[in-house]
């Protein structure tokens, strides 16, 4: 076994004290909150004691040499200004509403056009490949951006494990969804579960990261615990959070934002300062924590690694 693979089980990284405290907290909440927000607290209480995780330290990861050297965005900004519509549509909603999201146990199903369909538990995912800390720029379609020390490994490791058949030309991602755990989702105005997809060559690209942590710890719930994608050359909505299903398919899979608003959001969603969103410019962006806007870079600054995948494609049509 590779020595760099951390020898720890995913349940070990969530300290016992955390379970116990959260359990007490939840029982208190169910009792006192019942009168005001009965249904919400009740549904949480009914699904049993919390077994979710709060961020716990990760170790045994190496530092990726090609990381950007731009200043890292303060963790506080990255964990309180989020898009995770399952937990509400305001930027502050996910950090406020995902506190009790249960992420253990967790299973990701790998299926479709593969020789080896698999059910991976979090422990399997943590050990599949050596963990790396990669500092990537991340650009939301709404023109804000962040620089984050993500922890994970190339998604291609999952592809190699599953052995897709020659029919597999795309990968479809599906996020966890439960109305009981995500009551705010009812008024989000988009369909759930959240689905996304990549063409096979994009999914194979070494930059496409299967992400299990950030800032030296496991992922906070609002950032997509326990496992999400991070695709740094594409707008943020391509990077689905809290993954439960990875399906290899023949045809371009449906994706949540292009289902909801097809004229505004396309399948490719490559960061492109020259192609505006119908309702705003994509030429500049606001880095969280900074006052002045900055120019947005083609492919978010990752052209050298990704531009060749799109030669001959009209990026205005395939936006
Ligand atoms: N399941 C799910 N994944 C999601 C979203 C979502 O609403 N649900 N929002 C997307 C959008 S629009 C962005 S910009 C990023 C935000 O990631 P962050 O909150 O960790 O910065 O998550 C993406 N992944
Ligand atoms: Mo986004």
């Amino acid at each position: 076994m590779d020595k760099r693979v951390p020898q720890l089980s995913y349940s070990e990284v969530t300290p016992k004290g955390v379970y116990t405290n959260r359990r007490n907290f939840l029982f208190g909440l169910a009792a006192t909150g019942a009168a005001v927000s009965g249904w919400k607290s009740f549904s949480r209480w009914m699904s049993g004691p919390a077994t979710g995780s709060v961020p716990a330290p990760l170790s045994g990861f190496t530092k990726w040499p090609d990381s950007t050297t731009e200043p890292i965005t303060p963790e506080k900004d990255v964990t309180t200004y989020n898009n995770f519509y399952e937990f509400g549509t305001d930027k502050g909603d996910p950090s406020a509403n995902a506190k009790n999201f249960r992420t253990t146990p967790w299973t990701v199903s790998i299926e479709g056009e593969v020789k080896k369909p698999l059910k991976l538990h979090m422990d399997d995912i943590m050990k599949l490949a050596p963990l790396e800390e990669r500092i990537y720029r991340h650009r939301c379609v709404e023109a804000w951006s962040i620089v984050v020390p993500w922890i994970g490994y190339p998604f291609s490791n999952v592809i190699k494990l599953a052995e897709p058949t020659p029919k597999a030309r795309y990968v479809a991602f599906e996020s966890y969804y439960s109305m009981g755990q995500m009551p705010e989702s009812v008024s989000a105005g988009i369909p759930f579960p959240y689905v996304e997809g990549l063409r096979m060559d994009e999914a194979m690209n070494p930059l496409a990261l299967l992400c299990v942590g950030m800032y030296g710890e496991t992922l906070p719930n609002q950032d997509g615990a326990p496992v999400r994608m991070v695709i740094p050359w594409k707008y943020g909505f391509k990077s689905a959070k809290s993954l439960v299903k990875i399906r290899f398919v023949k045809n371009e899979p449906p994706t949540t934002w292009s289902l909801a608003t097809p004229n505004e959001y396309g399948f490719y969603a490559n960061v492109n300062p020259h192609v505006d969103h119908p309702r705003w410019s994509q030429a500049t962006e606001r880095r969280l924590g900074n006052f002045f806007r900055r120019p947005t870079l083609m492919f978010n600054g990752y052209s050298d690694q990704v531009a060749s995948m799109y030669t001959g494609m009209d990026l205005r049509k395939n936006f």
Side-chain angles (χ1 to χ4, degrees):
M1 187 187 232
D2 193 309
K3 279 225 185 66
R4 287 168 301 172
V5 177
Q7 301 297 310
L8 100 173
S9 111
Y10 194 75
S11 41
E12 278 170 44
V13 303
T14 306
K16 252 269 158 52
V18 169
Y19 286 148
T20 323
N21 289 338
R22 282 166 49 76
R23 189 187 167 132
N24 292 342
F25 168 74
L26 267 193
F27 276 81
L29 184 78
T32 55
V36 222
S37 54
W39 178 64
K40 206 153 117 181
S41 306
F42 183 67
S43 63
R44 279 179 185 160
W45 186 74
M46 282 302 283
S47 355
T51 50
S53 58
V54 295
L58 275 174
S59 55
F61 54 85
T62 57
K63 288 187 190 287
W64 190 55
D66 296 341
S67 287
T68 173
T69 53
E70 285 167 58
I72 290 172
T73 305
E75 185 176 3
K76 182 101 177 101
D77 292 332
V78 175
T79 55
T80 56
Y81 193 91
N82 298 100
N83 271 339
F84 199 165
Y85 271 36
E86 287 86 334
F87 293 107
T89 56
D90 288 344
K91 304 298 177 220
D93 283 346
S95 57
N97 298 333
K99 285 199 174 72
N100 301 318
F101 180 38
R102 290 185 305 279
T103 57
T104 50
W106 194 269
T107 309
V108 180
S109 171
I110 319 264
E111 47 192 75
E113 291 293 344
V114 287
K115 290 197 194 105
K116 293 186 185 160
L118 293 160
K119 296 239 187 286
L120 296 178
H121 301 295
M122 242 358 250
D123 279 356
D124 307 322
I125 291 171
M126 297 303 281
K127 290 172 189 162
L128 193 61
L131 296 180
E132 294 170 351
E133 180 183 71
R134 296 183 167 207
I135 305 169
Y136 280 165
R137 285 178 292 273
H138 193 71
R139 168 63 156 79
C140 175
V141 73
E142 292 165 274
W144 48 274
S145 67
I146 49 184
V147 174
V148 179
W150 306 105
I151 298 169
Y153 47 75
F155 179 74
S156 60
N157 289 294
V158 177
I159 304 182
K160 281 176 216 146
L161 190 72
E163 296 181 32
T165 71
K167 285 181 185 160
R169 293 171 54 234
Y170 293 87
V171 187
F173 300 95
E174 189 178 308
S175 295
Y176 176 87
Y177 182 60
S178 136
M179 219 168 78
Q181 285 209 72
M182 298 157 158
E184 296 84 6
S185 63
V186 173
S187 44
I190 57 170
F192 294 109
Y194 195 92
V195 289
E196 258 305 333
L198 292 172
R199 214 171 55 190
M200 192 60 90
D201 60 329
E202 299 179 313
M204 284 292 288
N205 188 285
L207 287 182
L209 195 73
L210 189 76
C211 172
V212 297
M214 61 189 222
Y215 297 91
E217 299 183 320
T218 56
L219 284 170
N221 292 341
Q222 63 269 36
D223 286 273
V227 56
R228 66 174 294 174
M229 289 301 291
V230 177
I231 306 148
W233 71 96
K234 292 179 178 284
Y235 291 120
F237 68 84
K238 295 298 292 180
S239 298
K241 293 177 168 181
S242 305
L243 293 174
V244 290
K245 201 184 283 184
I246 296 167
R247 199 174 170 79
F248 291 81
V249 294
K250 283 179 220 160
N251 301 315
E252 188 181 287
T255 60
T256 293
W257 280 103
S258 42
L259 284 172
T261 326
N263 62 317
E264 297 188 9
Y265 308 104
F267 177 80
Y268 284 93
N270 292 313
V271 175
N272 190 338
H274 313 299
V275 178
D276 287 340
H277 184 276
R279 291 186 280 127
W280 61 82
S281 162
Q282 294 291 21
T284 63
E285 66 198 56
R286 190 177 71 86
R287 179 74 43 89
L288 295 192
N290 289 10
F291 181 75
F292 291 107
R293 294 178 78 88
R294 63 177 60 221
T296 285
L297 306 172
M298 187 64 202
F299 295 115
N300 205 22
Y302 298 100
S303 291
D304 288 354
Q305 295 95 317
V306 304
S308 63
M309 294 191 290
Y310 309 104
T311 41
M313 266 178 78
D314 182 345
L315 296 179
R316 277 178 192 282
K317 272 194 199 130
N318 298 288
F319 59 90

